[in-house]
Amino acid sequence: MAKRLLATLAILLGILTVLGAIPVSAASGYETTYSKFLDQPAPAVPAFAVPGGTFELHVKDGIQVQAVQAVSVLHGPYTLSVESSQGNVLTLKVPSDIAPDTYFLLIKTNEGTLVLPNGLKVFKQWPNTLRIAWVSDTHVTSSAKIGFVCGDYFQRDIYTLEKYCPDPIPLHSVVATDSAYTYWSMKRADVIINTGDDVDSSSDLIGYNLIYTIMERAAADGQAHISIKGNHDDPPTVYSKIIGPPLFYVTIGKFIIIGLDTGGDRGYPTMNEIEWMEKVLDSHKNYTPIVLYHHPYFFAPRWNYLGGVIKGLDPFNDNDWNQLKSYLRYWAGDEAVARRFLEDVVKYNIVLTLSGHIHHDMYWKYIDKEGHVHYFLTLTSTGAPDKESNPASHPGYSPTWYGSNYVIVSANGSVEMPYVTVKFDGDKVKSDFMSVPVPQKFIVFRHDSDMGTVAKFINELNTSVSGPITFIIPEGAKIDPQHTNITYKVLGERQIGDKYYMMINATIPTGVSQIVISKGSDTEKPNVQIQYLQPSYPKPDKTFMAYITATDNLGIRDLYAEILDENGNPVKYGKTIKFPAEMGSGKPDNDFYTIELPPLKAGKYKLEIVAVDFYGNKEVVTKELNIKGYTPTSTSSTSTTTTSSSAGGICGPALIVALAALPLLLRRRR
């Protein structure tokens, strides 16, 4: 009966999630679902141009384009004229006086006006080197997906991390992804590339809307980006509607970037995709090719999990191929496809391929018989906590962390990662960490409300970070300098479509800092309630959970628990005294949190839940704990009082809280 009830609740939660996430058209007539209007460009596959140049618009059947404008927070709007049309492909002319920037396209059609962020990237002139900021496996989710970080340490289990760290930080996949996009947008790459698993579940419509917003803010920052689909985006029913096409190519001057689809469980592209890629490359000779796919090509953990160097083996030679295929894993599922692809790597001199999927950094250099070097690089997960911890969980395991990277490709085929050093032992890679510690050491917590927008920054990079950062704000909100402790300059504000954007040039100092953009002073304390404990009566020497709700009209900056003994002294576990609250979901309106609490000896204690907002308003809610057989009572040291629910079942608000907690409980059980 209990299992049946649990299954029913899970189904209800799924239905509510889908119903709450169905995209709707804006009241003003603007629409953001690109796939109703276009095949390409898309929110994750922009067009690229230079002033006075052209780009193509691939429109859907029945769509009649009436006007196109390009606008950014700082520039435009510019009117783009149609130079020519052939079938569903329109060639648009870029004005010669357009400023270099990343633009939203406002495309007026017979079916409404599409607002397309990241629609067009304009370079001053075509680059001779391509600077790529690289993220992967962001696994954005509307439910709970959290790891814990502190400096160089990373753990899925907070109790393990607390042995090493006094202030562990719960890092949700949404926060991790937004932090990485924010950092690299401030650093200004030519393009951010995401090598798949944009979301954690291909049916999570809210999750796709969340990463869409992250990409939208990056575009408003002026940062172009490209994304491919991963196995968690498969089937691409929602992905293709909201994010972009599974198969595509774009050109940036003499660079050509091709995105392939390695499917879900398949793990490699189809032969049709390979043949399509060959036709694209045949029509773009003298270009420098870069190919993106999700499942890594070379992956031989028995030989060396971290990568290495493969020299002189020729895929066109049968004996050499028999050696080469021993380095394959996922692509070994179709040997004909795998061999054809590597032959194409040699034939078309594909200098770089980027992949993800394994949640680990991996570096392979393949040197063909002519001496040409081809880089097969794989990045760890930017957003998911399910990867090998640091310290590693078992002797001999290679740890990894939340990571991103920066890759520079030149037109002559050279490839470098200037932020990291790859160490070798002979032909085998020996480096554990081959990615940049972002968001591991650069984290942004954003909160948006009708009253304003706020952000808390944690910068542990030992250097300040400077560059543009854009916020989506309520119209009329202004920066409150008294409650902002970063250096900033407002660069511009503009409404694009239905949203209002503010771009600033910011310097984020080391340590903890914040920015407050509000429509007025916040004088209200946060509202905090302890909903229940799990188990209801904590047992001696056993960990337990506190489930709480917490809201604020502008945003909560700090939310944590402390435990005091009978003498009023803080209870310490490892190095930790303040036990941080974990987000119950990735949704922007999340008000449900959990706190993992340490094992206690038998005795009487006081549990304090502390919430502090961005104006310093503080609320403390307490609950008396009587460990070992006593019925706990509830009190409050402030105006908020929490009462225990009576035994005999769950009803009313408690049922809602239980429903909200269900994904967390299921995650922990897994």
Side-chain angles (χ1 to χ4, degrees), residues 8 125 127 162 173 250 281 342 392-393 417 439 468 503 535 617 627 636:
T8 303
Q125 58 189 25
E162 285 168 336
S173 286
V250 296
L281 292 172
L342 195 58
S393 59
M417 294 188 296
M503 179 189 287
N617 302 308
I627 307 297
S636 174

Side-chain angles (χ1 to χ4, degrees), residues 6 60 90 99 103 194 227 251 255 301 313 324 368 384 448 476 499 536 638:
L6 192 63
K60 295 283 192 180
L90 305 181
Y103 287 91
N194 186 335
S227 184
T251 59
F255 295 92
L313 297 177
L324 283 165
D368 65 29
D448 300 310
K499 296 181 180 178
S536 300
T638 66

Side-chain angles (χ1 to χ4, degrees), residues 7 47 70 74 101 113 187 194 217 223 249 278 285 313 316 331 437 496 504 506 519 536 578 583 624 655:
L74 301 182
D101 204 345
T113 298
K187 299 291 285 186
N194 186 335
R217 279 197 296 255
Q223 179 61 65
Y249 77 89
E278 292 169 348
K285 294 179 179 179
L313 297 177
F316 294 94
W331 289 53
I496 303 176
I504 66 173
K519 298 169 78 171
S536 300
K578 296 180 179 180
M583 295 168 56
E624 301 295 335
L655 176 58

